[in-house]
């Protein structure tokens, strides 16, 4: 079985390997041992923290192969971004240059730096290792975090965002950043990317242009990538769009990748999921069901065909092996959705 669970300190080696495999532009997992250990520790503290409103918690999960113990991938949720370190975006807008006297009317695209998503919850750090990118694992990894948020909604904002990786080449060079570097910075994109991953964002407010940027002044290559995603990020974006996430003109400062958003209660997985009582037996399933145990620090989720949902009485027949993996017994409540 594939089991999604909170990360723990013994997963450090696996998390470091994922950080190395994720490559340039994956700022939420820097290849830095101290930072990765801090992320694990922060996550462990977040899961046991007693709160009533979202603050600065970060929940980091790993997907484990229960047969081999191998860590297949990871995903995370930031409870409220921008509360301690500012979160910057460019917002795409327009300005009009109009002269009735000369008969001139020009509409120009502009990029304005902002902090509009301060306090929003962010889904991030979604990465499935290459050997496991088949079947339903990726879809399960993406969608199961929404069931966790639904069951613990007091820990999250109703606005949920996802920052998608923008266009860059195999060496990590971004056409958008190259224009910024030429005019405002003197460091390469991978270095800026690395600094952001380390949480060192002071240089943004120090060096970024304070006024809106006219998009038509950028190079053609830079203009072409605004709001577009990295080739490897397209499947993740498609999954989020199916969930109801939309791009509303916010892009990353460095690679101009889009940030998409949705309301938590409007996310498709949240709307399609059901809460059911467990009945442990040996059912004949009718398709893959994703199941989470609704717990916090002991959160577990998996997907299986060894389960049968009865909507008429809101019960779920569940095989003993699956129940054991989820740490549930007969009569416990679980949240389910069809994969």
């Amino acid at each position: 079985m594939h089991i999604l669970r909170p990360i723990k300190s013994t997963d450090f080696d696996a998390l470091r390997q994922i950080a190395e495999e994720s490559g340039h532009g994956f700022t939420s997992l820097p290849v830095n041992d101290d930072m990765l250990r801090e992320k694990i520790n922060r996550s462990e503290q977040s899961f046991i923290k007693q709160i009533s409103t979202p603050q600065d918690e970060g929940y980091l999960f790993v997907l484990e192969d229960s047969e081999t113990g191998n860590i297949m991938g990871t995903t995370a949720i930031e409870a409220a971004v921008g509360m301690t370190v500012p979160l910057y975006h460019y917002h795409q807008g327009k300005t009009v240059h109009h002269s009735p006297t000369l008969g001139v009317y020009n509409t120009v695209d502009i990029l304005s730096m902002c902090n509009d998503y301060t306090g929003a919850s962010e889904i991030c750090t979604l990465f499935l290792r290459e050997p496991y990118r088949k079947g339903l694992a990726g879809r399960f990894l993406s969608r199961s975090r929404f069931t966790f948020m639904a069951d613990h909604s007091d820990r999250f904002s109703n606005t949920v965002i996802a920052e998608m990786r923008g266009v860059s080449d195999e060496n990590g060079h971004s056409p958008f950043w190259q224009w910024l570097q030429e005019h405002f910075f003197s460091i390469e994109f991978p270095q800026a990317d690395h600094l952001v991953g380390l949480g060192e964002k002071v240089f943004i407010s120090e060096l970024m242009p304070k006024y809106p940027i006219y998009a038509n002044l950028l190079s053609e290559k830079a203009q072409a990538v605004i709001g577009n995603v990295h080739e490897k990020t397209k499947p993740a974006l498609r999954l989020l769009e199916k969930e109801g996430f939309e791009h509303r003109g916010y892009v990353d400062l460095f690679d101009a990748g889009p940030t998409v958003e949705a309301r938590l209660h409007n996310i498709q997985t949240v709307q399609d999921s059901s809460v059911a009582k467990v009945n442990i037996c040996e059912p004949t399933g009718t398709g893959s069901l994703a199941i989470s145990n609704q717990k916090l620090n002991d959160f577990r989720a998996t997907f299986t065909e060894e389960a049968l949902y009865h909507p008429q009485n809101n019960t779920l027949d569940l095989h003993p092996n699956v129940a054991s993996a989820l740490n549930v017994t007969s009569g416990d409540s679980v949240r389910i959705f069809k994969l």
Side-chain angles (χ1 to χ4, degrees):
M1 278 182 287
H2 300 339
I3 305 296
L4 186 67
R5 59 167 176 80
I7 199 168
K8 51 190 179 183
S9 57
T10 52
D11 297 316
F12 170 77
D13 289 341
L15 186 65
R16 196 183 197 288
Q17 184 174 6
I18 289 174
E20 292 174 351
E21 292 177 4
S22 62
H24 298 295
F26 205 77
T27 54
S28 57
L29 279 184
V31 184
N32 178 289
D33 288 2
D34 291 339
M35 289 293 296
L36 293 177
R37 287 194 173 93
E38 172 56 30
K39 282 182 176 291
I40 294 174
N41 180 66
R42 178 170 172 249
S43 178
E44 289 179 319
Q45 294 303 312
S46 296
F47 276 102
I48 63 175
K49 192 175 180 181
Q50 298 298 314
I51 61 171
S52 57
T53 58
Q55 300 172 26
D56 187 38
E57 297 79 36
Y59 305 91
L60 184 56
F61 305 84
V62 290
L63 184 63
E64 180 180 6
D65 184 329
S66 62
E67 292 184 7
T68 64
N70 291 337
I71 301 302
M72 306 163 59
T74 183
T75 191
I77 312 168
E78 288 291 324
V81 294
M83 304 298 286
T84 56
V85 179
L87 178 71
Y88 296 100
H89 284 92
Y90 274 131
H91 186 254
Q92 297 172 275
K94 294 183 183 296
T95 188
V96 174
H97 295 264
H98 181 210
S99 172
T101 303
L102 299 177
V104 174
Y105 187 98
N106 291 323
T107 302
V108 182
D109 293 329
I110 59 172
L111 297 172
S112 303
M113 194 164 73
C114 66
N115 307 104
D116 291 357
Y117 279 130
T118 298
S121 294
E122 180 186 8
I123 52 172
C124 54
T125 324
L126 178 67
F127 187 82
L128 190 62
R129 298 179 60 207
E130 191 73 41
Y132 305 104
R133 293 176 188 173
K134 54 187 176 181
L136 299 173
R139 188 179 305 175
F140 168 74
L141 188 60
S142 177
R143 298 181 66 186
S144 290
R145 51 195 171 179
F146 300 130
T147 62
F148 179 83
M149 297 177 78
D151 286 326
H152 306 284
S153 58
D154 57 332
R155 290 178 171 261
F156 302 101
S157 167
N158 192 39
T159 299
V160 184
I161 67 170
E163 294 184 309
M164 313 307 293
R165 192 193 318 200
V167 176
S168 61
D169 63 21
E170 63 276 6
N171 297 314
H173 296 297
S174 159
F176 187 78
W177 175 261
Q178 287 176 349
W179 184 88
L180 287 174
Q181 177 189 352
E182 180 182 348
H183 295 279
F184 299 100
F185 294 84
S186 299
I187 58 176
E188 297 285 342
F189 175 70
Q191 183 181 355
D193 196 47
H194 182 66
L195 288 172
V196 171
L198 296 179
E200 298 177 11
K201 300 182 180 181
V202 172
F203 75 97
I204 297 175
S205 59
E206 292 174 336
L207 299 177
M208 274 290 182
K210 305 299 187 294
Y211 302 102
I213 295 175
Y214 281 61
N216 60 354
L217 298 181
L218 276 64
S219 67
E220 290 186 5
K221 289 183 178 180
Q223 292 182 53
V225 301
I226 296 175
N228 293 328
V229 297
H230 192 281
E231 192 66 28
K232 292 183 178 179
T233 305
K234 288 181 178 180
L237 178 59
R238 285 194 293 268
L239 284 174
L240 291 179
E241 288 173 338
K242 289 180 180 179
E243 293 285 352
F245 281 76
E246 297 177 330
H247 180 218
R248 297 186 175 174
Y250 293 91
V251 299
D252 185 78
L253 289 188
F254 301 136
D255 61 17
T259 290
V260 294
E261 67 169 275
R263 296 292 182 181
L264 177 57
H265 63 274
N266 287 337
I267 293 173
Q268 198 64 47
T269 292
V270 174
Q271 292 191 341
D272 291 346
S273 64
S274 303
V275 175
K277 293 289 186 181
V278 169
N279 173 43
I280 298 179
C281 58
E282 295 194 9
T284 301
T286 58
S288 290
L289 280 178
I291 310 167
S292 59
N293 64 6
Q294 297 194 286
K295 298 179 182 180
L296 182 59
N297 191 37
D298 294 323
F299 174 80
R300 297 291 185 276
T302 190
F303 62 95
T304 179
E305 294 186 356
E306 294 182 303
L308 182 62
Y309 176 52
H310 302 282
Q312 63 273 17
N313 57 8
N314 229 32
T315 59
L316 180 73
D317 293 342
L318 194 61
H319 192 281
N321 291 340
V322 182
S324 177
L326 291 172
N327 193 23
V328 295
T329 60
S330 288
D332 285 348
S333 294
V334 292
R335 185 177 290 270
I336 63 174
F337 64 89
K338 289 185 178 180
L339 275 180

